């Protein structure tokens, strides 16, 4: 049967509003962070990344903020559209070490955009 | 560019059957490929890291004799779920690292949904 697992937190926003999705990471040695978007039944899609020597990076309609002091990452989506509805994951990487290019994923947040 | 494919997309099999899933980097070479498993409403969990020409490195709790990984070329890695059981039903996702030098770069495949009856 279906395994019982954690239910993803859900963020519900009105179309046109801004969305903020948060992520807490645990490893202070992580120096590279990525946000992924995953639509139902598909693999993760790269959205935006940020290195630990930055605290903000902007893309098209998206902004990532990094607060290393409290180990917190956020993804801001401006003027959210129905096509933004998906599950969003943050991922962290510890750079060049024995772990190589391994990514550790956060739990994910489901974004639902109401028309 | 940087496209990763997986085959099959869907597979339904009887308990006890072995299932092979292919992961291909279509327009780049990948010295490292990763295999993830994702249960419903959960995050991606890394199963193993596969380096071309060498044995895969498995994460804690992942049975290497049950999940056989072969990375025989720079564009192909395979995951074989041996003697599959219903609890192996999951969404299996691979990713490929082009070795561009940027740590953490991975391109993800579309996933393979496995249902074991």
């Amino acid at each position: 049967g279906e395994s019982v697992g954690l239910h993803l937190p859900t963020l519900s926003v009105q179309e046109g509003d801004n969305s903020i999705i948060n992520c807490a990471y645990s490893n202070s040695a992580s120096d590279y962070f990525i946000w992924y978007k995953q639509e139902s039944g598909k693999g993760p899609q790269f959205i935006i990344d940020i290195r630990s020597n930055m605290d903000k990076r902007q893309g098209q309609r998206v902004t990532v903020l990094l607060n290393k002091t409290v180990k917190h990452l956020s993804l801001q989506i401006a003027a959210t559209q129905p096509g933004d509805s998906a599950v969003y994951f943050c991922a962290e990487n510890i750079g060049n070490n024995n772990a190589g290019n391994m990514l550790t994923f956060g739990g994910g947040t489901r974004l639902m955009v109401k028309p | 560019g940087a496209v990763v494919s997986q085959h099959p997309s869907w597979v339904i099999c009887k308990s006890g059957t072995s299932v092979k899933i292919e992961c291909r980097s279509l327009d780049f070479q990948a010295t490292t490929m990763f295999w993830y498993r994702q249960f419903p409403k959960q995050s991606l969990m890394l199963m193993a890291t596969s380096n071309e020409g060498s044995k895969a490195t498995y994460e804690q709790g992942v049975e290497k004799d049950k999940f056989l990984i072969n990375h025989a070329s720079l564009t192909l890695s395979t995951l074989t779920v041996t003697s599959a059981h219903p609890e192996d039903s999951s969404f299996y996702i691979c990713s490929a690292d082009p070795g561009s030098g940027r740590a953490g770069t991975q391109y993800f495949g579309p996933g393979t949904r496995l249902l074991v009856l």
Side-chain angles (χ1 to χ4, degrees):
Chain A
E2 181 180 6
S3 58
V4 176
L6 298 172
H7 286 275
L8 295 171
T10 298
L11 174 65
S12 184
V13 300
Q14 203 71 37
E15 180 179 0
D17 287 351
N18 297 333
S19 302
I20 300 177
I21 300 171
N22 297 303
C23 176
Y25 65 94
S26 56
N27 196 328
S28 57
S30 294
D31 61 1
Y32 179 57
F33 305 87
I34 310 172
W35 278 101
Y36 287 97
K37 172 186 180 182
Q38 187 180 28
E39 296 175 305
S40 180
K42 298 184 179 179
Q45 176 188 356
F46 173 93
I47 301 174
I48 192 169
D49 59 359
I50 189 168
R51 295 205 169 275
S52 59
N53 61 351
M54 303 171 69
D55 53 20
K56 181 179 180 179
R57 189 158 189 236
Q58 286 185 292
Q60 187 177 17
R61 276 203 310 122
V62 294
T63 301
V64 55
L65 298 178
L66 174 63
N67 185 331
K68 294 183 290 293
T69 302
V70 295
K71 291 187 282 190
H72 182 269
L73 197 66
S74 68
L75 175 69
Q76 300 178 2
I77 304 174
T80 313
Q81 303 168 1
D84 295 327
S85 295
V87 177
Y88 290 80
F89 294 98
C90 65
E92 59 185 298
N93 170 263
I94 309 178
N96 294 318
N97 60 1
N98 291 335
N101 287 340
M102 189 178 78
L103 291 174
T104 301
F105 281 80
T109 297
R110 182 179 301 280
L111 176 64
M112 296 178 61
V113 183
K114 297 177 288 186
Chain B
V3 178
V4 176
S5 70
Q6 285 183 238
H7 177 81
S9 302
W10 265 97
V11 58
I12 302 174
C13 67
K14 293 181 179 180
S15 186
T17 307
S18 292
V19 176
K20 179 186 281 189
I21 303 170
E22 294 185 349
C23 176
R24 292 180 186 272
S25 55
L26 298 185
D27 49 4
F28 65 97
Q29 293 184 329
T31 53
T32 305
M33 289 185 171
F34 302 85
W35 286 96
Y36 296 84
R37 180 168 50 183
Q38 186 178 33
F39 291 109
K41 299 182 180 180
Q42 294 189 28
S43 187
L44 283 75
M45 296 300 295
L46 180 65
M47 299 176 67
T49 302
S50 168
N51 290 300
E52 186 265 338
S54 62
K55 291 184 179 180
T57 301
Y58 290 81
E59 294 301 300
Q60 191 173 13
V62 178
E63 301 175 57
K64 61 181 180 181
D65 294 330
K66 181 167 183 64
F67 299 99
L68 301 179
I69 293 173
N70 183 281
H71 192 161
S73 79
L74 288 171
T75 59
L76 172 65
S77 177
T78 61
L79 168 68
T80 301
V81 183
T82 62
S83 186
H85 288 92
E87 59 266 29
D88 298 322
S89 298
S90 189
F91 192 47
Y92 292 87
I93 306 171
C94 73
S95 70
D97 177 5
S100 62
R102 168 183 276 185
T105 299
Q106 294 181 27
Y107 298 100
F108 285 83
T112 296
R113 191 165 298 283
L114 170 64
L115 177 61
V116 185
L117 302 177

